[in-house]
Short mmCIF file of all heavy atoms in Angstrom, two decimals:
data_model
loop_
_atom_site.label_atom_id
_atom_site.label_comp_id
_atom_site.label_asym_id
_atom_site.label_seq_id
_atom_site.Cartn_x
_atom_site.Cartn_y
_atom_site.Cartn_z
N ILE A 1 73.21 -178.46 -74.19
CA ILE A 1 73.51 -177.66 -75.39
C ILE A 1 72.29 -177.67 -76.30
O ILE A 1 71.46 -178.58 -76.25
CB ILE A 1 74.74 -178.21 -76.15
CG1 ILE A 1 74.50 -179.68 -76.55
CG2 ILE A 1 76.00 -178.08 -75.33
CD1 ILE A 1 75.59 -180.24 -77.44
N GLU A 2 72.19 -176.64 -77.10
CA GLU A 2 71.09 -176.57 -78.06
C GLU A 2 71.57 -175.74 -79.27
O GLU A 2 72.55 -174.99 -79.16
CB GLU A 2 69.86 -175.94 -77.44
CG GLU A 2 70.08 -174.55 -76.88
CD GLU A 2 68.85 -174.00 -76.18
OE1 GLU A 2 68.03 -174.81 -75.69
OE2 GLU A 2 68.71 -172.77 -76.12
N PRO A 3 70.94 -175.94 -80.40
CA PRO A 3 71.37 -175.18 -81.60
C PRO A 3 71.36 -173.68 -81.33
O PRO A 3 70.54 -173.20 -80.54
CB PRO A 3 70.32 -175.58 -82.64
CG PRO A 3 69.81 -176.90 -82.17
CD PRO A 3 69.83 -176.85 -80.67
N PRO A 4 72.30 -172.92 -81.91
CA PRO A 4 73.23 -173.37 -82.96
C PRO A 4 74.56 -173.89 -82.45
O PRO A 4 75.48 -174.08 -83.25
CB PRO A 4 73.42 -172.09 -83.76
CG PRO A 4 73.39 -171.02 -82.71
CD PRO A 4 72.33 -171.46 -81.73
N TYR A 5 74.68 -174.17 -81.14
CA TYR A 5 75.98 -174.55 -80.59
C TYR A 5 76.38 -175.95 -81.06
O TYR A 5 75.57 -176.88 -81.08
CB TYR A 5 75.94 -174.53 -79.06
CG TYR A 5 77.22 -175.02 -78.44
CD1 TYR A 5 78.30 -174.17 -78.29
CD2 TYR A 5 77.36 -176.34 -78.04
CE1 TYR A 5 79.50 -174.61 -77.74
CE2 TYR A 5 78.54 -176.79 -77.48
CZ TYR A 5 79.61 -175.92 -77.34
OH TYR A 5 80.78 -176.37 -76.80
N VAL A 6 77.64 -176.11 -81.41
CA VAL A 6 78.25 -177.42 -81.63
C VAL A 6 79.61 -177.41 -80.94
O VAL A 6 80.21 -176.34 -80.72
CB VAL A 6 78.44 -177.74 -83.13
CG1 VAL A 6 77.11 -177.88 -83.84
CG2 VAL A 6 79.32 -176.70 -83.81
N HIS A 7 80.11 -178.58 -80.57
CA HIS A 7 81.42 -178.67 -79.95
C HIS A 7 82.49 -178.18 -80.92
O HIS A 7 82.54 -178.61 -82.08
CB HIS A 7 81.73 -180.12 -79.55
CG HIS A 7 81.03 -180.57 -78.32
ND1 HIS A 7 79.74 -181.05 -78.33
CD2 HIS A 7 81.44 -180.59 -77.02
CE1 HIS A 7 79.38 -181.38 -77.09
NE2 HIS A 7 80.39 -181.10 -76.28
N ARG A 8 83.35 -177.29 -80.46
CA ARG A 8 84.41 -176.77 -81.31
C ARG A 8 85.49 -177.84 -81.50
O ARG A 8 85.63 -178.75 -80.67
CB ARG A 8 85.01 -175.52 -80.70
CG ARG A 8 85.67 -175.73 -79.34
CD ARG A 8 86.20 -174.43 -78.76
NE ARG A 8 86.73 -174.61 -77.42
CZ ARG A 8 87.96 -175.05 -77.15
NH1 ARG A 8 88.77 -175.36 -78.14
NH2 ARG A 8 88.38 -175.16 -75.90
N ARG A 9 86.23 -177.71 -82.57
CA ARG A 9 87.31 -178.66 -82.83
C ARG A 9 88.43 -178.45 -81.81
O ARG A 9 88.87 -177.32 -81.58
CB ARG A 9 87.84 -178.43 -84.24
CG ARG A 9 88.98 -179.39 -84.62
CD ARG A 9 89.50 -179.08 -86.00
NE ARG A 9 88.43 -179.21 -87.00
CZ ARG A 9 88.60 -178.92 -88.27
NH1 ARG A 9 89.77 -178.44 -88.70
NH2 ARG A 9 87.59 -179.06 -89.13
N ARG A 10 88.90 -179.54 -81.22
CA ARG A 10 89.97 -179.39 -80.23
C ARG A 10 90.67 -180.73 -79.97
O ARG A 10 90.10 -181.80 -80.22
CB ARG A 10 89.43 -178.86 -78.91
CG ARG A 10 88.38 -179.76 -78.27
CD ARG A 10 88.00 -179.26 -76.89
NE ARG A 10 86.87 -180.01 -76.35
CZ ARG A 10 86.48 -179.93 -75.07
NH1 ARG A 10 87.12 -179.13 -74.24
NH2 ARG A 10 85.44 -180.62 -74.66
N ILE A 11 91.87 -180.63 -79.46
CA ILE A 11 92.62 -181.77 -78.91
C ILE A 11 92.70 -181.51 -77.41
O ILE A 11 93.38 -180.56 -76.98
CB ILE A 11 94.01 -181.88 -79.54
CG1 ILE A 11 93.89 -182.12 -81.05
CG2 ILE A 11 94.81 -183.01 -78.89
CD1 ILE A 11 95.22 -182.14 -81.77
N PRO A 12 92.03 -182.30 -76.58
CA PRO A 12 91.86 -181.92 -75.16
C PRO A 12 93.09 -182.10 -74.28
O PRO A 12 93.19 -181.47 -73.23
CB PRO A 12 90.73 -182.85 -74.70
CG PRO A 12 90.84 -184.04 -75.60
CD PRO A 12 91.28 -183.51 -76.94
N HIS A 13 94.00 -182.99 -74.65
CA HIS A 13 95.19 -183.28 -73.83
C HIS A 13 94.82 -183.80 -72.44
O HIS A 13 95.59 -183.65 -71.48
CB HIS A 13 96.10 -182.05 -73.71
CG HIS A 13 96.57 -181.55 -75.05
ND1 HIS A 13 97.39 -182.27 -75.89
CD2 HIS A 13 96.31 -180.38 -75.70
CE1 HIS A 13 97.64 -181.59 -76.98
NE2 HIS A 13 96.98 -180.44 -76.91
N GLU A 14 93.67 -184.37 -72.33
CA GLU A 14 93.23 -185.07 -71.12
C GLU A 14 92.10 -186.00 -71.53
O GLU A 14 91.48 -185.83 -72.58
CB GLU A 14 92.78 -184.09 -70.04
CG GLU A 14 91.58 -183.24 -70.44
CD GLU A 14 91.24 -182.18 -69.39
OE1 GLU A 14 91.78 -182.25 -68.28
OE2 GLU A 14 90.42 -181.30 -69.69
N TRP A 15 91.81 -186.98 -70.68
CA TRP A 15 90.72 -187.90 -70.96
C TRP A 15 89.39 -187.22 -70.66
O TRP A 15 89.29 -186.44 -69.70
CB TRP A 15 90.86 -189.16 -70.13
CG TRP A 15 92.08 -189.96 -70.46
CD1 TRP A 15 93.30 -189.88 -69.85
CD2 TRP A 15 92.21 -190.92 -71.50
NE1 TRP A 15 94.19 -190.75 -70.44
CE2 TRP A 15 93.55 -191.41 -71.46
CE3 TRP A 15 91.33 -191.44 -72.45
CZ2 TRP A 15 94.02 -192.37 -72.34
CZ3 TRP A 15 91.80 -192.40 -73.33
CH2 TRP A 15 93.13 -192.86 -73.28
N ILE A 16 88.38 -187.53 -71.47
CA ILE A 16 87.03 -186.98 -71.26
C ILE A 16 86.00 -188.11 -71.37
O ILE A 16 86.08 -188.92 -72.31
CB ILE A 16 86.69 -185.88 -72.28
CG1 ILE A 16 87.70 -184.73 -72.21
CG2 ILE A 16 85.28 -185.35 -72.04
CD1 ILE A 16 87.46 -183.65 -73.27
N ILE A 17 85.07 -188.13 -70.45
CA ILE A 17 83.94 -189.06 -70.52
C ILE A 17 82.67 -188.26 -70.71
O ILE A 17 82.42 -187.30 -69.97
CB ILE A 17 83.83 -189.92 -69.24
CG1 ILE A 17 85.03 -190.86 -69.11
CG2 ILE A 17 82.53 -190.72 -69.24
CD1 ILE A 17 85.04 -191.65 -67.82
N TYR A 18 81.87 -188.63 -71.70
CA TYR A 18 80.53 -188.08 -71.89
C TYR A 18 79.51 -189.18 -71.61
O TYR A 18 79.66 -190.31 -72.09
CB TYR A 18 80.32 -187.58 -73.32
CG TYR A 18 81.02 -186.30 -73.69
CD1 TYR A 18 81.38 -186.04 -75.01
CD2 TYR A 18 81.32 -185.33 -72.74
CE1 TYR A 18 82.02 -184.86 -75.38
CE2 TYR A 18 81.96 -184.15 -73.09
CZ TYR A 18 82.31 -183.92 -74.40
OH TYR A 18 82.95 -182.76 -74.74
N MET A 19 78.47 -188.87 -70.82
CA MET A 19 77.34 -189.78 -70.67
C MET A 19 76.07 -188.99 -70.95
O MET A 19 75.80 -187.98 -70.29
CB MET A 19 77.26 -190.41 -69.29
CG MET A 19 76.25 -191.57 -69.25
SD MET A 19 76.23 -192.48 -67.69
CE MET A 19 75.10 -191.46 -66.73
N ILE A 20 75.29 -189.43 -71.93
CA ILE A 20 74.14 -188.68 -72.41
C ILE A 20 72.92 -188.92 -71.51
O ILE A 20 72.59 -190.07 -71.19
CB ILE A 20 73.80 -189.08 -73.86
CG1 ILE A 20 75.05 -189.00 -74.74
CG2 ILE A 20 72.70 -188.18 -74.40
CD1 ILE A 20 75.74 -187.67 -74.76
N LYS A 21 72.28 -187.83 -71.10
CA LYS A 21 71.07 -187.91 -70.29
C LYS A 21 69.81 -187.81 -71.15
O LYS A 21 68.91 -188.65 -71.06
CB LYS A 21 71.04 -186.77 -69.25
CG LYS A 21 72.12 -186.85 -68.19
CD LYS A 21 72.09 -185.63 -67.30
CE LYS A 21 70.76 -185.46 -66.59
NZ LYS A 21 70.74 -184.26 -65.72
N LYS A 22 69.74 -186.77 -71.97
CA LYS A 22 68.57 -186.54 -72.81
C LYS A 22 69.03 -186.02 -74.18
O LYS A 22 70.11 -185.45 -74.30
CB LYS A 22 67.61 -185.51 -72.18
CG LYS A 22 66.97 -185.95 -70.89
CD LYS A 22 66.04 -184.86 -70.36
CE LYS A 22 65.41 -185.26 -69.05
NZ LYS A 22 64.51 -184.18 -68.52
N GLY A 23 68.18 -186.20 -75.17
CA GLY A 23 68.48 -185.68 -76.50
C GLY A 23 69.52 -186.54 -77.21
O GLY A 23 69.62 -187.74 -76.99
N GLU A 24 70.30 -185.90 -78.07
CA GLU A 24 71.31 -186.62 -78.82
C GLU A 24 72.50 -185.71 -79.10
O GLU A 24 72.38 -184.48 -79.06
CB GLU A 24 70.73 -187.14 -80.13
CG GLU A 24 70.15 -186.05 -81.02
CD GLU A 24 69.45 -186.62 -82.24
OE1 GLU A 24 69.03 -187.79 -82.20
OE2 GLU A 24 69.33 -185.88 -83.24
N MET A 25 73.64 -186.34 -79.36
CA MET A 25 74.86 -185.59 -79.65
C MET A 25 75.51 -186.18 -80.91
O MET A 25 75.66 -187.41 -81.01
CB MET A 25 75.83 -185.66 -78.47
CG MET A 25 77.14 -184.90 -78.70
SD MET A 25 78.35 -185.13 -77.35
CE MET A 25 77.53 -184.30 -75.98
N GLU A 26 75.89 -185.31 -81.82
CA GLU A 26 76.62 -185.71 -83.03
C GLU A 26 78.07 -185.26 -82.88
O GLU A 26 78.35 -184.07 -82.77
CB GLU A 26 76.00 -185.07 -84.27
CG GLU A 26 74.56 -185.46 -84.52
CD GLU A 26 74.41 -186.84 -85.12
OE1 GLU A 26 75.45 -187.45 -85.46
OE2 GLU A 26 73.26 -187.32 -85.27
N LEU A 27 78.98 -186.23 -82.84
CA LEU A 27 80.37 -185.94 -82.54
C LEU A 27 81.27 -186.78 -83.44
O LEU A 27 80.90 -187.89 -83.84
CB LEU A 27 80.65 -186.26 -81.07
CG LEU A 27 81.89 -185.65 -80.41
CD1 LEU A 27 81.72 -184.15 -80.27
CD2 LEU A 27 82.09 -186.28 -79.03
N GLU A 28 82.45 -186.25 -83.74
CA GLU A 28 83.42 -186.99 -84.52
C GLU A 28 84.78 -186.86 -83.86
O GLU A 28 85.17 -185.79 -83.40
CB GLU A 28 83.48 -186.42 -85.94
CG GLU A 28 84.44 -187.16 -86.87
CD GLU A 28 84.42 -186.59 -88.27
OE1 GLU A 28 83.43 -186.82 -88.99
OE2 GLU A 28 85.40 -185.89 -88.63
#
């Protein structure tokens, strides 16, 4: 991902794993 994209607000109703390869992610 790259600007201007950001993760949209959501309730996933499933488990999610993120593992970062490069760069950085700001998430709440």
Side-chain angles (χ1 to χ4, degrees):
I1 57 173
E2 57 185 26
Y5 176 82
V6 295
H7 283 84
R8 61 182 176 83
R9 180 182 301 176
R10 60 173 172 168
I11 298 176
H13 301 295
E14 62 185 348
W15 295 93
I16 301 176
I17 294 176
Y18 286 153
M19 192 174 86
I20 310 303
K21 294 175 59 180
K22 295 180 182 179
E24 57 186 23
M25 180 186 293
E26 299 282 354
L27 199 68
E28 182 178 286

